[in-house]
Amino acid sequence: MALIVQKYGGTSMGSPERIENVAKKVGSFHDQGHQMVVAVSAMSGETDRLIKLAKTIQERPDPRELDVIISTGEQVTIALLAMALQKLGYKAKSYTGAQVQIRTDDAFTKARIKEIDDARIRKDLADGYIIVVAGFQGMDEAGNITTLGRGGSDTTGVALAAALKADECQIYTDVDGVYTTDPRVVPEARRLNSVTFEEMLELASLGAKVLQIRSVEFAGKYNVPLRVLSTFVDGPGTLITSEESKMEQVIISGIAFNRDEAKLTIVGVPDQPGVAARILSPIGRANIEVDMIIQNVGADGLTDFTFTVHRNDYDKAYDILDKTSKELGARAVSGDKKIVKVSLVGVGMRSHAGVASTMFETLAKEGINIKMISTSEIKISVVVDEKYLELAVRSLHAAFKLEQAPV
Ligand code: ASP
Ligand code: MG
């Protein structure tokens, strides 16, 4: 007998029929003798609808009140799922985040979970109940309702699994796992049997939007084995786990890409201490996140400095840089919005040389010019022209034979 926490997303909870389908699935696990705790999202589209509704009254809704509204979506689905379970003959009970209690800080709309009181759930489990908990929400110290940021039900599931020391946390969604890359770009993309927490963080933050990033951080921190599975098709899904227990020993796990980047260059700035700070501090003060940074080797006491930002921040960043350029007496400012970032991710890079050279040779053979490069222990990213995105991802996927299951 295991204690299993399952999380079902908005699509899985999208209609009464689908909720009854989820109840059957949860029930079958209970039938096998497992203790079941289920975290659920609101019906798909509901949270968006509630945000819009709030905005009809207040253009910029008061965050405390917004959380009161948007947490209601999950209050509906927990009760419906508990009823569906009861209809099938199971003992089931629903709880809101505040009832559990899931205690958070008071950062409305993006609160962080601090602790979970597991006493109530443990007692109910011992009494044979299936427990259904509202995802995405908690309560601060003063008793205010808080929410955990969009997609936050994943984090609720993981946090419950950590608090209850569950044997596994299963995230049921509308895809059947994590893929080597986006199958819409590479039809040969393969479902991964396992990835590490670290790899998943890179894959998630680079655009493979399967899990809320925070939930992966949380799972890694508390070493909660996570499995991503489809609600609609049976299969083993993808296990997200620590490096030691990862099943597949491959060099590259996946290729992530990001279409939201833009790059900015300031040309001919004095090559002196403090210049990088003078260029980037005003950008940071404007709350613009900088991703990749390159500074050229200086010549004649001058150097060029290039960095990337989110495309939405491009115009704002350009104006700031233009001002800095005048202050520093730089030669020029230039920028490019039509770029993308492509990244190879894999913990195997730590122990294998030659990944970068294979990557660069592959891109060269396709005539793709690399504009920027950055690396970390488990990742190599390049910036290329937007028009080469598909070609770059496809040729790299083939070069590293990612379509083949590891032996
Ligand atoms: N219902 C929330 C959202 O749409 C939380 C979730 O689905 O995880 O963001
Ligand atoms: Mg979701």
Side-chain angles (χ1 to χ4, degrees):
M1 188 187 76
L3 198 169
I4 299 175
V5 174
Q6 295 185 331
K7 178 261 171 176
Y8 290 90
T11 318
S12 313
M13 301 298 287
S15 67
E17 296 74 39
R18 287 190 173 177
I19 291 174
E20 293 198 291
N21 178 47
V22 167
K24 272 192 214 138
K25 240 183 147 74
V26 174
S28 72
F29 279 87
H30 191 264
D31 294 344
Q32 290 165 39
H34 303 308
Q35 293 190 313
M36 298 302 297
V37 176
V38 187
V40 299
S41 289
M43 288 179 165
S44 51
E46 179 63 5
T47 310
D48 289 334
R49 189 187 72 85
L50 292 166
I51 292 172
K52 254 206 226 138
L53 183 62
K55 286 185 176 168
T56 59
I57 302 281
Q58 240 177 2
E59 206 174 310
R60 290 216 266 113
D62 176 75
R64 181 188 182 278
E65 302 314 322
L66 185 62
D67 275 356
V68 174
I69 295 176
I70 63 178
S71 60
T72 60
E74 275 77 6
Q75 189 164 341
V76 172
T77 46
I78 52 170
L80 290 174
L81 180 57
M83 289 175 192
L85 284 162
Q86 289 171 7
K87 194 166 147 187
L88 294 173
Y90 298 101
K91 285 166 71 176
K93 239 188 223 184
S94 71
Y95 288 117
T96 65
Q99 285 173 321
V100 163
Q101 311 173 330
I102 296 175
R103 298 199 194 99
T104 71
D105 61 22
D106 59 4
F108 296 113
T109 75
K110 48 179 184 294
R112 284 188 182 265
I113 297 177
K114 293 204 298 201
E115 61 177 339
I116 293 184
D117 183 356
D118 61 344
R120 204 161 174 177
I121 296 180
R122 285 204 188 276
K123 175 162 186 318
D124 287 339
L125 286 174
D127 291 341
Y129 281 94
I130 295 172
I131 309 304
V132 186
V133 180
F136 180 52
Q137 56 177 262
M139 183 187 81
D140 73 5
E141 229 164 89
N144 298 303
I145 294 172
T146 55
T147 65
L148 311 176
R150 297 308 304 269
S153 299
D154 291 339
T155 301
T156 306
V158 172
L160 283 167
L164 293 161
K165 299 190 176 56
D167 296 284
E168 192 166 287
C169 180
Q170 303 172 344
I171 309 278
Y172 283 89
T173 173
D174 44 9
V175 294
D176 68 343
V178 180
Y179 276 69
T180 49
T181 195
D182 188 337
R184 283 169 300 189
V185 172
V186 183
E188 296 81 21
R190 184 176 55 83
R191 182 184 52 76
L192 293 159
N193 286 319
S194 64
V195 285
T196 68
F197 295 118
E198 255 183 308
E199 287 170 329
M200 189 63 217
L201 279 181
E202 295 291 357
L203 292 170
S205 58
L206 293 168
K209 296 181 183 71
V210 190
L211 287 169
Q212 195 198 31
I213 290 173
R214 215 184 253 186
S215 74
V216 182
E217 283 168 5
F218 210 104
K221 187 166 164 199
Y222 294 97
N223 209 357
V224 177
L226 261 185
R227 195 179 286 279
V228 175
L229 310 119
S230 163
T231 311
F232 307 104
V233 216
D234 285 334
T238 299
L239 181 68
I240 304 158
T241 180
S242 61
E243 205 160 324
E244 297 75 52
S245 44
K246 191 189 168 192
M247 296 178 291
E248 291 172 35
Q249 291 304 327
V250 293
I251 303 172
I252 304 299
S253 286
I255 304 175
F257 52 84
N258 186 347
R259 303 178 201 260
D260 299 330
E261 302 245 335
K263 98 181 161 55
L264 293 150
T265 302
I266 180 165
V267 184
V269 288
D271 191 8
Q272 286 163 5
V275 167
R278 284 194 57 191
I279 294 168
L280 291 181
S281 300
I283 303 278
R285 274 198 298 275
N287 256 324
I288 298 173
E289 239 177 87
V290 171
D291 182 18
M292 290 164 121
I293 303 171
I294 291 183
Q295 188 191 315
N296 291 354
V297 176
D300 314 324
L302 295 177
T303 187
D304 304 339
F305 195 94
T306 303
F307 57 93
T308 63
V309 296
H310 193 284
R311 244 180 238 189
N312 293 345
D313 291 327
Y314 176 82
D315 293 333
K316 203 159 117 195
Y318 194 100
D319 290 346
I320 295 170
L321 199 60
D322 207 34
K323 237 174 96 198
T324 310
S325 161
K326 289 188 182 107
E327 285 166 23
L328 290 174
R331 212 176 297 141
V333 170
S334 66
D336 189 350
K337 267 175 144 177
K338 298 200 158 166
I339 55 151
V340 290
K341 183 169 76 170
V342 176
S343 308
L344 293 179
V345 176
V347 287
M349 275 184 216
R350 285 202 183 111
S351 47
H352 285 83
V355 174
S357 55
T358 306
M359 182 184 201
F360 302 156
E361 279 161 21
T362 305
L363 297 172
K365 244 186 266 165
E366 300 293 344
I368 301 171
N369 186 32
I370 300 170
K371 297 172 171 255
M372 296 174 83
I373 301 169
S374 81
T375 65
S376 79
E377 250 194 310
I378 67 158
K379 178 181 81 173
I380 305 176
S381 305
V382 295
V383 166
V384 299
D385 262 335
E386 184 180 70
K387 63 175 184 239
Y388 292 130
L389 172 69
E390 276 84 7
L391 181 61
V393 175
R394 266 187 224 130
S395 56
L396 291 169
H397 201 272
F400 286 93
K401 299 189 171 52
L402 296 185
E403 73 288 351
Q404 293 174 16
V407 280

